[in-house]
Structures are given as structure tokens and as C-alpha cells.
């Protein structure tokens, strides 16, 4: 048996062993990702074959960090592409507020046990939205930015509200609770932006 064949048998043996240990259905795809069908949780396999899954706290911190990074990047575009003074003023406030939020989430993540590091890398969807927004100027930018800010802050509010109520890391749960009223205020301001 070649070393090449052993690489494919190791995940297969793991799947068979996991299936024999319990009643959950487990499948493996060719990217070495084990999917626990009973709980619909993806568990990535690292280079040594150990299972590593993002905790709810890590998933929350990553989503919050990505949200902040997106808001800051969109607001920076508004500084050059917007025509409305109200939009530019809102964008300036978003840079300050989301920078503060980023600091708060990072500090809370460090206080989690075990400590976690938020990943602020934008999603493909966020990157595409920014690219589309960057192509617009003046009133067209203002309209698209306003609509995007309402949607982004509705998502952020849902994320923060849910984690503040149901989070598993006390430090992050407290930070989410502190951020909820700030996001509510942003949503009110975003809905008032000129959308014409």
C-alpha cells in the first residue's frame, strides 16, 4: 500500500470509528471535512488529523469583526464618493463607532476562556458589495450606501442581540450587550439617510 493510499484511508478509518462510537451519522468529503449530520456541525481536519471546530464564541467574534471591518471600509468610500453632507457625516461617525466596537470585541475576546482572536477578513459577499459601491459616485453612491447601511445594521443588531442573550463566553456576551444600543442608534440614523 502506498503512502498516497494511506492519506485517503486515514479519514475513512476516522469516519468508521466515529460512526461505531455513537448513533450520529457522519460523512466525509474529499476535502477532509467531517460533517456531523445529526447536529449539522462542520468539523475541519487539521494537518495532524485532529478535529478543530470554531466555538460559538469564535464564530460570534469573527462575524462581529467582519461587520466592523466592512462598516469602516464602506464609510471610507463615502468620504470620497458621497455627495450628501448627511451621508459623509454618518460615515465619519461609523468609522469612529466601529473602530471602538472592534476594540471592545478584541478586548472581550482576549478575556474569553480560552482567549480567541477575531478574524476580520471580509467575506466574499462583503468584498463584492464594497467593489460595487466603489464604482458609484454622488447621488447614486448615497442611495446605495444608505440602503446598504440599513441592511448591515439590521444584521449587526440581530447578531449582537442574539449573542447578548444566548452567548457562551461571558466577556463577549457582556460586550455584545453594551454594543446593542449603539447599533440601534446607528440603524435609526441609517434609515434617516437620504435615499434619493
Amino acid at each position: 500500500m502506498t503512502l498516497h493510499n494511506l492519506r485517503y484511508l486515514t479519514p475513512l478509518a476516522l469516519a468508521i470509528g466515529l460512526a461505531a462510537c455513537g448513533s450520529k451519522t457522519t460523512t466525509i468529503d474529499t476535502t477532509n471535512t467531517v460533517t456531523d449530520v445529526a447536529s449539522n456541525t462542520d468539523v475541519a481536519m487539521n494537518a495532524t488529523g485532529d478535529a478543530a471546530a470554531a466555538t460559538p464564541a469564535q464564530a460570534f467574534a469573527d462575524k462581529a469583526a467582519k461587520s466592523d471591518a466592512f462598516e469602516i471600509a464602506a464609510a471610507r468610500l463615502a468620504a470620497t464618493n458621497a455627495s450628501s453632507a448627511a451621508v459623509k457625516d454618518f460615515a465619519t461617525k461609523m468609522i469612529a463607532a466601529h473602530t471602538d466596537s472592534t476594540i471592545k470585541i478584541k478586548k472581550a475576546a482576549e478575556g474569553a476562556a480560552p482567549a480567541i482572536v477575531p478574524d476580520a477578513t471580509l467575506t466574499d459577499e462583503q468584498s463584492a458589495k464594497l467593489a460595487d459601491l466603489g464604482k458609484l459616485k454622488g447621488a447614486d453612491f448615497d442611495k446605495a450606501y444608505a440602503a446598504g447601511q440599513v441592511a448591515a445594521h439590521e444584521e449587526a443588531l440581530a447578531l449582537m442581540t442574539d449573542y447578548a442573550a444566548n452567548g457562551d463566553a461571558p466577556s463577549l456576551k457582556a460586550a455584545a450587550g453594551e454594543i446593542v444600543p449603539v447599533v440601534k442608534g446607528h440603524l435609526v440614523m441609517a434609515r434617516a439617510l437620504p435615499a434619493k
Side-chain angles (χ1 to χ4, degrees):
M1 184 168 290
T2 67
L3 187 57
H4 176 72
N5 290 339
L6 282 176
R7 189 175 105 201
Y8 293 105
L9 289 178
T10 302
L12 181 59
L14 176 64
I16 293 169
L18 288 173
C21 291
S23 61
K24 294 180 180 175
T25 304
T26 304
T27 58
I28 295 182
D29 67 19
T30 58
T31 61
N32 286 342
T33 299
V34 177
T35 303
D36 178 345
V37 178
S39 64
N40 199 24
T41 303
D42 286 341
V43 181
M45 300 301 290
N46 64 21
T48 63
D50 298 327
T55 64
Q58 181 71 59
F60 165 76
D62 290 348
K63 286 179 184 177
K66 290 172 193 312
S67 175
D68 282 338
F70 176 78
E71 291 299 325
I72 292 167
R76 287 186 177 144
L77 283 175
T80 56
N81 294 15
S83 62
S84 165
V87 169
K88 288 185 178 195
D89 182 56
F90 175 83
T92 299
K93 290 175 182 171
M94 292 307 98
I95 291 171
H98 287 282
T99 299
D100 288 346
S101 175
T102 297
I103 292 166
K104 188 171 285 194
I105 292 294
K106 280 183 181 178
K107 185 175 179 182
E110 289 170 1
I116 57 178
V117 177
D119 179 4
T121 305
L122 295 179
T123 66
D124 291 342
E125 181 181 359
Q126 288 171 321
S127 295
K129 286 179 181 179
L130 284 176
D132 290 343
L133 194 59
K135 297 173 188 173
L136 303 174
K137 301 277 186 198
D140 290 338
F141 178 91
D142 294 349
K143 181 178 178 181
Y145 179 73
Q149 288 303 295
V150 170
H153 283 93
E154 286 173 344
E155 289 175 21
L157 182 57
L159 174 69
M160 294 298 167
T161 302
D162 180 62
Y163 200 82
N166 305 308
D168 60 333
S171 60
L172 283 167
K173 190 173 179 175
E178 292 172 17
I179 294 170
V180 165
V182 176
V183 177
K184 284 181 180 178
H186 293 171
L187 184 55
V188 169
M189 289 188 290
R191 288 179 174 152
L193 288 173
K196 295 178 183 179

